[in-house]
Amino acid sequence: MLNRRAKIAWLSVLFGCLVPACANVKETGRTVGHTTRDVTKEIGHTTRDVTKEIGHGARDVTREIGHGTRDAAKTVGQGVKDAAKSATDDEK
């Protein structure tokens, strides 16, 4: 068996080796965690921006289709009114 001094020396050496190793593991974990956080945040912001642009594009296209339909309906309606007015003027 080891005597008391040998045990203390052995534990000191073991503790001296483990503490710096724990610091390295902790620093590596922090680096990985922060990098993951930053990358995830960037992906989220990019996704948000792309989704917003798609939504605005779809809104603008829909608005243009609606305006085109409204204008075409007005033109047709005006043509019908003009034809009806012309027909009633011809009857007089």
Side-chain angles (χ1 to χ4, degrees), residues 3-58:
N3 64 18
R4 185 177 173 101
R5 286 187 185 177
K7 287 180 184 178
I8 292 173
W10 173 248
L11 288 175
S12 297
V13 169
L14 185 63
F15 184 72
C17 293
L18 289 179
V19 170
C22 291
N24 288 337
V25 170
K26 183 177 179 181
E27 182 61 32
T28 302
R30 181 179 291 123
T31 302
V32 169
H34 288 193
T35 303
T36 303
R37 178 198 63 199
D38 295 342
V39 168
T40 304
K41 186 187 297 182
E42 189 63 32
I43 290 170
H45 288 186
T46 303
T47 303
R48 178 198 61 202
D49 296 343
V50 168
T51 303
K52 189 184 293 185
E53 287 300 317
I54 290 171
H56 288 184

Side-chain angles (χ1 to χ4, degrees), residues 72-87:
K74 280 184 179 180
T75 304
V76 169
Q78 189 62 40
V80 169
K81 285 181 185 178
D82 292 343
K85 185 176 181 181
S86 165

